[in-house]
Amino acid sequence: KNEVEQSPQNLTAQEGEFITINCSYSVGISALHWLQQHPGGGIVSLFMLSSGKKKHGRLIATINIQEKHSSLHITASHPRDSAVYICAVRWYSGGSNYKLTFGKGTLLTVNP
Amino acid sequence: DTAVSQTPKYLVTQMGNDKSIKCEQNLGHDTMYWYKQDSKKFLKIMFSYNNKELIINETVPNRFSPKSPDKAHLNLHINSLELGDSAVYFCASSQGSLALIFGPGTRLTVL
């Protein structure tokens, strides 16, 4: 079983602030996803990482495989960034099987 | 063009009924998934199909059965619906190491 913990659970920021959301997991993984779910319900995949760092616009995702930890950063946050951010890890569970385990999400609210 | 589509978007039904949710992807991905998101917004994977073979089957009731007529479709059949089945169900697909692409979700309400 892979325990996936996200922190913080809730985060409120002012527009322009630098945001960090953390994800830690307990078992070695083959990949880690960061997902974004807006209040309307749709889910968007932001990043998939297996090592190092990825950047897309104002979003940066990093992963440290040795420490079993990943962070999602948002620079110059904006109210439209308000959403639930979910971390999910893909890990080998034996035989030819992989599993996906999700964190419980971080609710980000960015105020103007 | 819609990459991953689900139908219906909303489904309201009585307890005990049998219903299906359809999912189609036009991305040529080889793996498709079904997820359940409960009232607390916690996402949990239910099934995964890779090249028409079930490779992940989380412990879900056997009233739920995935059906994949071809690589582009993964439908979810639910028999004898219960109140606790009310949730949003998301379909997704992926190809190898590429990111997951989610469908818009189907909100199921069991009365």
Side-chain angles (χ1 to χ4, degrees):
Chain A
K1 188 178 176 183
N2 207 336
E3 303 284 346
V4 180
E5 298 286 338
Q6 279 186 242
S7 62
Q9 196 171 3
N10 292 283
L11 180 56
T12 301
Q14 288 301 120
E15 186 172 356
E17 285 185 1
F18 181 81
I19 305 289
T20 296
I21 300 170
N22 297 299
C23 176
S24 60
Y25 49 92
S26 58
V27 175
I29 64 171
S30 62
L32 181 143
H33 299 262
W34 279 105
L35 310 172
Q36 179 192 56
Q37 185 171 29
H38 276 282
I43 300 175
V44 174
S45 178
L46 298 174
F47 296 103
M48 190 172 79
L49 296 165
S50 54
S51 64
K53 175 180 171 178
K54 285 190 176 179
K55 185 175 189 290
H56 181 71
R58 295 179 295 106
L59 301 176
I60 304 166
T62 62
I63 189 167
N64 185 318
I65 298 297
Q66 287 73 33
E67 294 186 3
K68 297 187 176 62
H69 180 267
S70 175
S71 293
L72 176 68
H73 306 285
I74 306 174
T75 61
S77 59
H78 190 276
R80 65 174 174 266
D81 297 325
S82 298
V84 175
Y85 292 84
I86 303 167
C87 166
V89 299
R90 184 174 184 264
W91 53 285
Y92 178 63
S93 61
S96 59
N97 294 329
Y98 286 84
K99 288 192 175 180
L100 265 176
T101 302
F102 290 81
K104 294 193 174 178
T106 295
L107 175 60
L108 171 66
T109 304
V110 181
N111 294 318
Chain B
D1 284 342
T2 302
V4 181
S5 59
Q6 292 179 231
T7 54
K9 191 171 181 181
Y10 299 97
L11 181 55
V12 181
T13 188
Q14 298 283 341
M15 237 174 22
N17 283 349
D18 302 337
K19 290 293 178 185
S20 296
I21 307 172
K22 295 185 177 181
C23 177
E24 177 180 1
Q25 54 97 1
N26 62 5
L27 299 164
H29 286 175
D30 59 13
T31 307
M32 296 182 72
Y33 310 82
W34 275 107
Y35 299 89
K36 179 181 180 182
Q37 187 173 44
D38 60 26
S39 57
K40 295 182 181 177
K41 303 294 185 184
F42 184 48
L43 264 175
K44 183 175 179 180
I45 190 167
M46 301 178 72
F47 301 104
S48 170
Y49 257 79
N50 185 326
N51 291 325
K52 301 181 74 172
E53 179 183 311
L54 184 66
I55 60 171
I56 304 172
N57 185 354
E58 296 292 313
T59 39
V60 298
N62 57 15
R63 298 180 294 104
F64 291 80
S65 56
K67 296 277 194 301
S68 181
D70 55 57
K71 188 176 161 181
H73 296 84
L74 183 64
N75 303 324
L76 182 65
H77 297 273
I78 316 170
N79 294 324
S80 303
L81 278 156
E82 299 178 358
L83 293 176
D85 297 334
S86 295
V88 180
Y89 293 84
F90 286 95
C91 176
S93 70
S94 68
Q95 175 70 31
S97 60
L98 297 178
L100 286 165
I101 305 297
F102 283 83
T106 295
R107 182 174 293 277
L108 171 65
T109 304
V110 182
L111 303 174

